[in-house]
Amino acid sequence: MNDLRDFYILGLPIETSIGECHFIKIKDYYKFAQYLNLVRMSRDEIAYSLFSANQTESSKEVKKLTLFEVVTQLPLFTEAYHKVLSKMFNDEGILEKVTQDNFTEIRKLILDMNLLKEEKINPNPIIQKAIERSKRLKSLESSELNLTNMISSIVAFGSSDYEKIVNWTIYQVYMTFLRIALLKKYDTSTLFATVDPDHAKNIEDWSKDIEIFEDDNHTLSKKEAENISKMISSSH
């Protein structure tokens, strides 16, 4: 697989063993967000969601399977993977080319291209519920990065306009916004350094690498993906 993340910014298709994989554009995201959320789910998260819905036996059965087996046996997930892969590979029969051997690699690519990351699930359901409560409290106390703020900031900075951004990818929006943020931080730091030399130590190179895949804050959670879907679909 020719998966070079440095070229994701260009939005070009990625060559894989089963065909070219294309990025989903912002204008189409709302059509696939619900399916991407299902693709994002790990086996453990699926099992936990069943447990939370009082489907204890189903949850136990899922834990006995691999994620590939879950996807091929549960119609809800089979449909989700078919919708997403058919779109990204431009091939209605693409799911037949996905096997136990290449499943993990293809799924990882799908998640990376859409900046999605699995939720970490604690094997103890009681502890997991406590973790979720903690996350909800933190989200209320902090100002979350969302697509509306990022896109409007990009437009305000003069980097593009709304008509063009709808043809961007999620990856391009995030990277452009983060690069602008680094540039503005650099400008502010250099300005303060002219007044107080001590501020020079706070100056960061605005063109430094952005480790977008290493920071959970730069990937889309289930909630953020849902918010993006709602925002885009409401404009149609």
Side-chain angles (χ1 to χ4, degrees):
M1 181 184 295
N2 185 20
D3 179 19
L4 299 177
R5 287 174 171 175
D6 285 347
F7 294 96
Y8 279 19
I9 192 66
L10 300 176
L12 298 173
I14 307 298
E15 192 70 45
T16 77
S17 60
I18 60 174
E20 285 190 339
C21 189
H22 301 259
F23 285 86
I24 295 176
K25 303 296 177 64
I26 293 292
K27 64 181 179 182
D28 294 322
Y29 198 92
Y30 77 99
K31 301 175 186 175
F32 297 93
Q34 62 175 320
Y35 302 117
L36 283 166
N37 270 329
L38 292 172
V39 172
R40 179 196 55 75
M41 294 176 73
S42 64
R43 183 203 60 183
D44 290 344
E45 185 178 358
I46 295 170
Y48 175 72
S49 67
L50 290 169
F51 177 85
S52 299
N54 295 319
Q55 298 182 43
T56 307
E57 290 305 314
S58 295
S59 177
K60 290 179 180 178
E61 289 302 313
V62 163
K63 286 186 176 181
K64 297 177 183 178
L65 305 173
T66 64
L67 181 56
F68 176 75
E69 290 170 334
V70 172
V71 170
T72 55
Q73 294 181 30
L74 297 185
L76 178 66
F77 290 91
T78 304
E79 180 190 17
Y81 274 77
H82 176 262
K83 292 282 188 182
V84 171
L85 269 67
S86 295
K87 170 64 176 177
M88 296 186 70
F89 282 89
N90 194 27
D91 180 357
E92 284 294 322
I94 192 64
L95 209 54
E96 297 174 6
K97 301 176 183 177
V98 178
T99 66
Q100 181 77 64
D101 293 332
N102 63 23
F103 173 77
T104 299
E105 181 182 45
I106 296 299
R107 178 174 177 268
K108 181 67 166 58
L109 177 64
I110 299 300
L111 297 186
D112 284 353
M113 290 174 71
N114 292 283
L115 282 186
L116 293 168
K117 200 167 190 175
E118 291 183 354
E119 298 283 342
K120 295 177 181 177
I121 303 297
N122 191 287
N124 186 318
I126 296 176
I127 295 177
Q128 181 58 34
K129 286 184 179 180
I131 292 172
E132 290 179 352
R133 285 196 297 271
S134 175
K135 284 182 177 180
R136 285 195 293 270
L137 286 174
K138 287 180 180 179
S139 67
L140 290 173
E141 294 170 355
S142 63
S143 55
E144 293 185 359
L145 198 61
N146 62 64
L147 193 69
T148 301
N149 294 340
M150 287 189 287
I151 290 179
S152 60
S153 296
I154 291 170
V155 172
F157 193 73
S159 298
S160 190
D161 55 49
Y162 294 113
E163 289 75 15
K164 292 179 181 177
I165 290 179
V166 295
N167 288 307
W168 288 20
T169 67
I170 288 288
Y171 183 88
Q172 289 171 327
V173 169
Y174 261 72
M175 285 296 287
T176 303
F177 174 82
L178 294 171
R179 183 64 63 198
I180 290 173
L182 279 176
L183 179 57
K184 297 306 291 182
K185 182 179 180 181
Y186 173 83
D187 288 343
T188 302
S189 298
T190 53
L191 178 61
F192 277 116
T194 61
V195 178
D196 183 356
D198 285 342
H199 281 285
K201 62 185 179 183
N202 297 322
I203 297 177
E204 293 184 63
D205 181 5
W206 65 270
S207 63
K208 70 177 185 178
D209 286 343
I210 298 174
E211 300 295 339
I212 200 166
F213 292 101
E214 305 302 322
D215 189 345
D216 286 346
N217 292 327
H218 295 158
T219 52
L220 297 176
S221 65
K222 176 182 178 181
K223 179 182 177 182
E224 178 59 18
E226 289 173 346
N227 288 341
I228 292 173
S229 175
K230 290 176 182 176
M231 186 199 77
I232 300 176
S233 61
S234 65
S235 65
H236 286 70

